[in-house]
Amino acid sequence: MDPHDKPEVAHNSTMPALHTTTDLARTEAPVTWKAYLICAFASFGGIFFGYDSGYVNGVNGSALFIHLVEGPDKDALSSPHSSLIVSILSAGTFFGALIAGDVAEMIGRKWTVSIGCLIYLIGVIIQMITGASGTSTLGDIVAGRLIAGLGVGFESAIVILYMSEICPKKVRGALVAGYQFCITIGLLLASCVVYATENRDDTGSYRIPIGIQFAWGLILGIGLMFLPDSPRYFVKRGMLDRAADSLGKLRGQPIESEYIQNELSEIVANEEYERSIIPSTNWYSGWANCFKGGLWQQKSNLRRTILGTSLQMMQQWTGVNFIFYYSTIFLQSTGAISNTFLISLIFTLVNVCSTPLSFYTVEKFGRRPLLVYGALGMLICQFLVAIIGVTVGFNHTHTDPTDATKTLANNISAVNAQIAFIAIFIFFFASTWGPGAWIVIGEIFPLPIRSRGVALSTASNWLWNTIIAVITPYMVGSQYGNLKSSVFFVWGGLCTAAFVYAYFLVPETKGLSLEQVDRMMEESTPRTSAKWVPHETFAASMGISGDVLSKDVIQDVEKSATTF
Ligand code: BGC
């Protein structure tokens, strides 16, 4: 659509340029309930993420499913089959996230998520027909999970991008934390559904957990169609009238209001500024731009790409998924816990209940303190689990008198203390690094590389998720590393790395617009970033403040508009 065909809704030549810090602080409209609801809806995408990670363990344990895959005389999946079925989803999500970065530049954020939902639904249908006569059970489930994974990859990268771009800056952290909250609810739902269906002796034991996923795809895919797309996407595509329209809807203000004009002019000016420094002329240079700039340069895209991808790597290195993927097996191996499902459920509940704390703390104290102190809390808990284990707890076992193939922990109280510290570790993760990593990757990239930067960071999350899922069984398996609870020395060590990393490398982005974050990262170091205050708008420095949709600016933005 040609912006010139539309009335110049946004022109307001009497609007003052913003120069003072107070002006800069008020460049956004007051947050309305409608804005909250629109932004919060997208966080529903987190349910896919959590549910998909969680339900497969139950399906893999269903007797009927095992018979279909391995034959009627087997009572467990073989290790290669089980690891293939679990990890194929992450392979799909890894590639899905990367592809989605490009798609979001071409067709917009919300349509990319909706397409992701469609791909996901196709994957679910293929998994649903698993076991239908004449098809290969293993082939169906693997193909279905690969395709569903592509959809989850689309959704997990682009929901974060979309939310970061549409949320008001004052509550952006809290709303993106809502996405993490939905991940935790997805994990909890998966545990409950699996618990309720695992003992069925019909195909419902695996078809019900699989089929329920259909609801998530439909709700998000259809719901998003009715929401406005990201104004930043429209600016990047040179569609300023649509950007103004979308911003007006998101902020609940008329498009000619000063709030909308100021915010839009800042987005436009930032885009022009970034493009003037690192232009992108084709698909290849669009990707290459993510890696431009020296490691030691303040204004470097490479630095931001490394920050986003390593932050997600660190989030996985905390070892949280060791608990969510393997806690049942780990607890069983202590020989001390009779109801391992209940303890796993408690871990999942702690995860759900602790996350909302971050809605408040991430805006009150900021991202940096959350990540620094969160890592500190986690490392203390993990070292305590490990130390208790080697001194009195789980690493001291004797042979089970009733079954010579099993061992029992000598000191049940010590094992209980270890379990309590694992729960406290989850509390720290859920209230800090869980949401924090997702919030920060949505904020640190400048618009020209944002969708690919977020995609790369999300892909890094899934890559490390897979690597950890594949190697941990070897670390704790009795026939391999047999580390028992000493595996927590490894997680404690990695959380120490995360603590140092957060202190030296994570900047404070609280309360800033995405454009102000861009400037802050140019002008401060991570350790001085919290003190940085906005002092000049991009709009003022580019000389377009107060005249956003004047013909000259429109032409300029249109000329430079790109899908790269
Ligand atoms: C992580 C997942 C993890 C989940 C637990 C997410 O932020 O990326 O890997 O399973 O939190 O709540």
Side-chain angles (χ1 to χ4, degrees):
M1 193 185 307
D2 183 354
H4 296 276
D5 293 338
K6 287 231 158 188
E8 273 193 26
V9 283
H11 182 79
N12 179 359
S13 54
T14 57
M15 193 171 67
L18 301 168
H19 287 297
T20 68
T21 309
T22 334
D23 285 337
L24 290 161
R26 70 167 168 77
T27 51
E28 243 184 35
V31 185
T32 62
W33 271 108
K34 193 174 155 213
Y36 270 120
L37 290 179
I38 293 181
C39 300
F41 178 76
S43 64
F44 185 80
I47 302 252
F48 289 49
F49 187 135
Y51 189 87
D52 268 59
S53 313
Y55 88 90
V56 73
N57 289 335
V59 169
N60 279 355
S62 142
L64 191 68
F65 182 75
I66 294 167
H67 294 163
L68 285 169
V69 175
E70 306 287 355
D73 52 333
K74 295 282 179 349
D75 56 7
L77 289 180
S78 71
S79 300
H81 286 166
S82 137
S83 113
L84 176 66
I85 293 170
V86 173
S87 59
I88 197 73
L89 183 99
S90 316
T93 45
F94 175 81
F95 290 108
L98 288 181
I99 299 168
D102 274 355
V103 180
E105 293 296 51
M106 285 184 260
I107 63 168
R109 291 26 171 163
K110 73 168 191 176
W111 292 111
T112 306
V113 178
S114 290
I115 289 182
C117 290
L118 186 67
I119 298 174
Y120 177 78
L121 292 177
I122 296 171
V124 173
I125 293 172
I126 297 175
Q127 291 174 69
M128 287 288 286
I129 60 163
T130 290
S133 58
T135 61
S136 143
T137 309
L138 186 65
D140 292 342
I141 192 92
V142 168
R145 272 178 70 79
L146 178 66
I147 295 172
L150 282 173
V152 177
F154 266 56
E155 171 281 310
S156 57
I158 308 306
V159 164
I160 288 294
L161 173 67
Y162 177 65
M163 291 189 76
S164 312
E165 289 191 338
I166 65 170
C167 291
K169 65 182 178 186
K170 279 190 238 78
V171 288
R172 190 179 56 233
L175 287 168
V176 177
Y179 173 80
Q180 171 70 16
F181 185 50
C182 287
I183 296 181
T184 65
I185 292 180
L187 279 163
L188 176 66
L189 281 174
S191 303
C192 297
V193 172
V194 161
Y195 186 62
T197 55
E198 67 184 350
N199 293 325
R200 291 174 70 110
D201 47 17
D202 57 10
T203 57
S205 63
Y206 64 90
R207 287 205 171 124
I208 293 173
I210 291 173
I212 283 178
Q213 302 172 90
F214 222 81
W216 322 141
L218 282 181
I219 296 173
L220 186 68
I222 297 177
L224 266 187
M225 290 179 188
F226 298 99
L227 299 188
D229 209 330
S230 158
R232 286 166 170 99
Y233 160 72
F234 287 127
V235 167
K236 189 151 190 258
R237 295 297 304 270
M239 302 181 216
L240 294 195
D241 57 337
R242 295 187 67 180
D245 188 49
S246 147
L247 209 49
K249 288 195 181 116
L250 289 167
R251 302 288 180 258
Q253 298 282 331
I255 39 187
E256 57 284 351
S257 88
E258 209 177 298
Y259 286 122
I260 302 301
Q261 291 307 294
N262 284 341
E263 200 178 340
L264 187 55
S265 61
E266 189 58 3
I267 299 173
V268 169
N270 175 253
E271 160 74 353
E272 297 250 293
Y273 167 77
E274 284 293 340
R275 209 187 291 287
S276 69
I277 305 177
I278 305 184
S280 107
T281 45
N282 53 33
W283 177 85
Y284 169 77
S285 68
W287 272 105
N289 282 349
C290 298
F291 305 97
K292 287 244 168 80
L295 256 190
W296 307 113
Q297 264 172 278
Q298 206 82 323
K299 167 81 214 150
S300 156
N301 284 349
L302 174 67
R303 266 174 78 142
R304 299 183 193 201
T305 303
I306 293 178
L307 178 62
T309 48
S310 56
L311 191 64
Q312 288 291 5
M313 174 184 81
M314 287 286 168
Q315 196 221 41
Q316 291 301 308
W317 279 13
T318 59
V320 68
N321 286 324
F322 171 71
I323 308 296
F324 290 120
Y325 295 163
Y326 298 111
S327 63
T328 312
I329 300 169
F330 179 73
L331 293 168
Q332 275 163 358
S333 66
T334 65
I337 316 291
S338 52
N339 195 344
T340 50
F341 173 80
L342 186 70
I343 306 281
S344 299
L345 188 65
I346 290 174
F347 290 157
T348 312
L349 278 171
V350 171
N351 194 29
V352 175
C353 298
S354 322
T355 306
L357 186 64
S358 67
F359 299 173
Y360 171 75
T361 50
V362 79
E363 299 301 357
K364 172 84 182 150
F365 305 110
R367 287 55 162 159
R368 239 178 95 74
L370 220 62
L371 296 179
V372 172
Y373 291 110
L376 183 64
M378 289 191 291
L379 77 89
I380 292 173
C381 293
Q382 287 167 330
F383 280 128
L384 282 174
V385 175
I387 292 166
I388 297 173
V390 289
T391 50
V392 282
F394 177 34
N395 285 34
H396 299 266
T397 51
H398 60 265
T399 307
D400 184 345
T402 59
D403 181 349
T405 61
K406 290 190 180 150
T407 53
L408 290 178
N410 291 341
N411 188 334
I412 307 292
S413 320
V415 172
N416 285 339
Q418 288 183 287
I419 291 172
F421 282 115
I422 294 177
I424 303 174
F425 153 70
I426 291 176
F427 161 81
F428 277 113
F429 175 86
S431 53
T432 63
W433 275 77
W438 295 106
I439 295 170
V440 174
I441 65 158
E443 300 179 324
I444 53 174
F445 295 101
L447 185 52
I449 63 157
R450 186 172 300 135
S451 81
R452 292 192 177 101
V454 174
L456 280 166
S457 309
T458 307
S460 161
N461 176 291
W462 285 106
L463 177 70
W464 285 99
N465 187 320
T466 315
I467 294 175
I468 287 175
V470 170
I471 62 173
T472 33
Y474 293 97
M475 290 156 78
V476 288
S478 54
Q479 67 279 43
Y480 302 104
N482 199 17
L483 284 178
K484 297 189 175 168
S485 55
S486 293
V487 72
F488 282 89
F489 279 120
V490 176
W491 305 132
L494 291 173
C495 277
T496 309
F499 172 69
V500 175
Y501 170 91
Y503 180 75
F504 285 105
L505 295 175
V506 175
E508 183 51 79
T509 51
K510 174 187 91 163
L512 303 177
S513 70
L514 296 181
E515 290 65 38
Q516 288 165 345
V517 170
D518 193 22
R519 178 135 282 172
M520 173 275 288
M521 290 186 72
E522 277 182 37
E523 296 179 354
S524 66
T525 64
R527 275 175 295 156
T528 57
S529 57
K531 295 205 180 73
W532 185 90
V533 277
H535 50 88
E536 188 195 27
T537 61
F538 279 101
S541 63
M542 299 292 285
I544 61 172
S545 186
D547 205 7
V548 175
L549 292 188
S550 74
K551 293 235 167 6
D552 283 355
V553 176
I554 291 174
Q555 272 172 2
D556 219 36
V557 174
E558 268 195 323
K559 239 191 290 149
S560 56
T562 145
T563 55
F564 308 124

